């Protein structure tokens, strides 16, 4: 290991995970203001998130491989600097097309965040502590959701949604300065040796994790993007209260990701956790559907809690699973493959939700589709568990001993 790990490095990892999605969460939290100012429809609003995540999906494989070769500081510059630049473009965007360009620019910054942070953990953190660190650093995404859902509406009331974007960009600049000085020095990599393993195929479990990330990502991001708008239109919440629903989901999501990371560190199999998360996500979608049909705030808040505890906890289990499936020299590339599935889902979910909302005039069809996506996740989780069980049995027969949890 290059240096001793500590709270400072863990904070950098949390911030690196939270920087990329900050713009999307901010756009979601100020959705009504942006839609009214630019005169865009629900489907056009959904296309914003879809464009961002399409950019992330298209760049995830190449950036995943690149993360195994370039320095961690360079990667942090892509994450923090890229997102700050996108927020700056958002602030000066005078029309919908400019805003589309801004969200597209933020895509690669999100795409490289998992490979970067996973690679740092695989190189710098003791194996027994890695799942716990994964849970905490993945909670950075929900910490960003919490921050953005509170910061953007409040700042927008003072300086407009463009002023809020400028303020968020300044915050990212400060975080980049801290991360740049806090990250430990690393030895120069030899690209000739690093390039060799990238041509090897990934094991089948990596692709199962990618498939799970795809369908869960579609449901999760569609909910994240439209939750504040849903709360305002269907339940009658104000702008600030609509943002508070996303913030509450973020709070629960932070706790859930830490919890699921600790459960993996304790030896619980990833397949077991994925099945539990799929079941909880289905419950969350059903509760939000009921909230929309009844107009009751209680069902809404219950759905928010289930969404935060289940759908928002998937990523830590999936990414911790990647660390167990591949050697550390391939963590970046494998993380990029799983991120491809995740960001493809992130792109498709909000786009589909926006189209369904505009076509039907309500959220019912959207919640039904989200629930169906989570049911597919349950099927993938079962397939992963079957393959996991076979692999464990084969290892146990060969070693004559116990096989650790997966």
């Amino acid at each position: 290991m290059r240096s001793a790990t500590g709270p400072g490095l863990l904070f950098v990892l949390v911030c690196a995970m939270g920087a990329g999605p900050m713009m999307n969460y901010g756009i979601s939290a100020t959705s009504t203001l942006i839609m009214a100012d630019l005169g865009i429809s629900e489907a056009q609003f959904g296309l914003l998130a879809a464009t961002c995540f399409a950019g992330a999906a298209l760049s995830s494989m190449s950036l995943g491989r690149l993360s195994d070769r370039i320095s961690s500081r360079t990667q942090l510059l892509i994450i923090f600097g890229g997102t700050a630049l996108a927020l700056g473009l958002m602030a000066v965007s005078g029309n919908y097309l400019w805003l589309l360009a801004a969200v597209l620019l933020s895509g690669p910054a999100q795409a490289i965040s998992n490979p970067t942070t996973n690679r740092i953990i695989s190189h710098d953190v003791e194996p027994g502590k890695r799942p716990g660190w994964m849970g905490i650093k993945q909670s950075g995404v929900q910490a960003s959701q919490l921050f953005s859902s509170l910061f953007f509406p409040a700042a927008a009331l003072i300086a407009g949604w463009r002023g809020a974007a400028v303020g968020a960009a300044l915050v990212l600049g400060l975080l980049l300065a801290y991360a740049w000085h806090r990250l430990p020095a690393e030895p120069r990599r030899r690209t000739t040796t690093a390039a060799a393993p990238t041509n090897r195929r990934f094991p089948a479990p990596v692709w199962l994790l990618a498939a799970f990330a795809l369908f869960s990502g579609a449901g999760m991001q569609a909910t994240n993007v439209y939750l504040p708008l849903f709360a305002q239109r269907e339940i009658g919440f104000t702008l600030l209260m609509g943002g508070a629903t996303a913030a509450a989901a973020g709070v629960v999501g932070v706790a859930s990701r830490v919890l699921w990371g600790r459960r993996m560190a304790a030896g619980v199999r990833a397949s077991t956790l994925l099945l539990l998360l799929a079941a909880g996500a289905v419950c969350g979608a059903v509760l939000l559907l009921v909230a929309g049909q009844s107009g009751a705030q209680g069902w809404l808040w219950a759905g928010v809690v289930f969404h935060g505890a289940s759908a928002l906890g998937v990523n830590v289990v999936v990414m911790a699973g990647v660390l167990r499936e591949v050697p550390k020299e391939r963590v970046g590339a494998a993380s990029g493959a799983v991120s491809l599935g995740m960001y493809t889902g992130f792109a498709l979910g909000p786009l589909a939700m926006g189209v369904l909302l505009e076509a039907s005039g309500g959220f019912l069809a959207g919640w039904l589709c989200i629930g169906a996506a989570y049911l597919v996740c349950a099927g993938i989780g079962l397939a992963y568990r079957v393959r996991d069980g076979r692999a464990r049995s084969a290892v146990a027969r060969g070693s004559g001993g116990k096989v650790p949890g997966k």
Side-chain angles (χ1 to χ4, degrees), residues 9-284:
L9 178 59
L10 185 57
F11 178 72
V12 169
L13 298 180
V14 170
C15 293
M17 287 301 303
M22 182 183 292
M23 181 175 178
N24 269 340
Y25 288 133
I27 288 176
S28 176
T30 55
S31 56
T32 53
L33 297 179
I34 294 174
M35 292 171 68
D37 190 17
L38 299 182
I40 60 178
S41 66
E42 292 89 347
Q44 287 176 308
F45 179 73
L47 186 59
L48 290 172
T51 299
C52 167
F53 295 126
L58 291 173
S59 59
S60 60
M61 290 289 286
S62 57
L63 288 175
R65 290 191 295 267
L66 182 66
S67 72
D68 287 324
R69 295 173 171 83
I70 63 176
S71 71
S72 297
R73 282 186 172 81
T74 301
Q75 295 175 57
L76 291 180
L77 182 61
I78 295 173
I79 295 171
F80 290 102
T83 306
L85 184 61
L87 283 165
L89 183 58
M90 173 184 169
V92 299
S93 59
N95 55 49
Y96 178 64
L97 290 179
W98 276 106
L99 188 56
L100 274 176
V103 296
L104 180 64
L105 181 61
S106 71
Q110 294 191 58
I112 200 172
S113 59
N114 270 306
T116 297
T117 53
N118 288 355
R119 191 190 65 114
I120 291 173
I121 288 177
S122 67
H123 282 80
D124 289 328
V125 180
E126 298 172 10
K129 295 182 179 179
R130 288 173 189 169
W133 273 58
M134 288 291 294
I136 295 174
K137 72 97 173 174
Q138 293 294 151
S139 70
V141 176
Q142 268 54 67
S144 175
Q145 183 178 17
L146 171 61
F147 170 81
S148 301
S149 299
L150 297 176
F151 175 83
F152 273 82
L157 291 178
I158 299 172
W161 59 270
R162 291 183 174 87
V166 172
L170 294 175
V171 171
L172 289 177
L174 294 174
L175 292 175
L176 173 60
Y178 174 81
W180 189 273
H181 292 287
R182 181 59 187 80
L183 203 67
E186 56 187 314
R188 182 180 298 274
R189 282 179 168 71
R190 292 179 295 175
T191 56
T192 54
T193 58
T198 59
N199 294 325
R200 298 202 310 265
R201 292 180 178 179
F202 297 118
V206 170
W207 297 113
L208 286 174
L209 292 171
F212 196 102
L214 188 154
F215 286 96
S216 65
M220 180 189 79
Q221 204 56 236
T223 304
N224 282 342
V225 169
Y226 281 97
L227 183 58
L229 186 64
F230 170 72
Q232 292 172 62
R233 287 195 178 180
E234 302 292 321
I235 313 299
F237 281 10
T238 64
L239 175 67
L240 289 178
M241 283 301 296
T245 61
V251 171
V252 177
V254 168
S256 72
R257 291 193 170 195
V258 174
L259 172 64
W260 300 128
R262 288 180 177 175
R263 296 311 300 156
M264 286 201 72
V268 179
R269 296 164 67 177
S271 56
T272 300
L273 295 179
L274 290 177
L275 287 171
L276 288 172
L277 292 172
V282 171
C283 291

Side-chain angles (χ1 to χ4, degrees), residues 366-393:
W367 296 132
L368 288 173
C369 285
I370 288 173
Y374 291 144
L375 287 174
V376 174
C377 288
I380 298 171
L382 284 172
Y384 184 67
R385 186 172 182 82
V386 169
R387 188 174 186 90
D388 180 22
R390 290 174 180 172
R392 289 161 60 89
S393 297

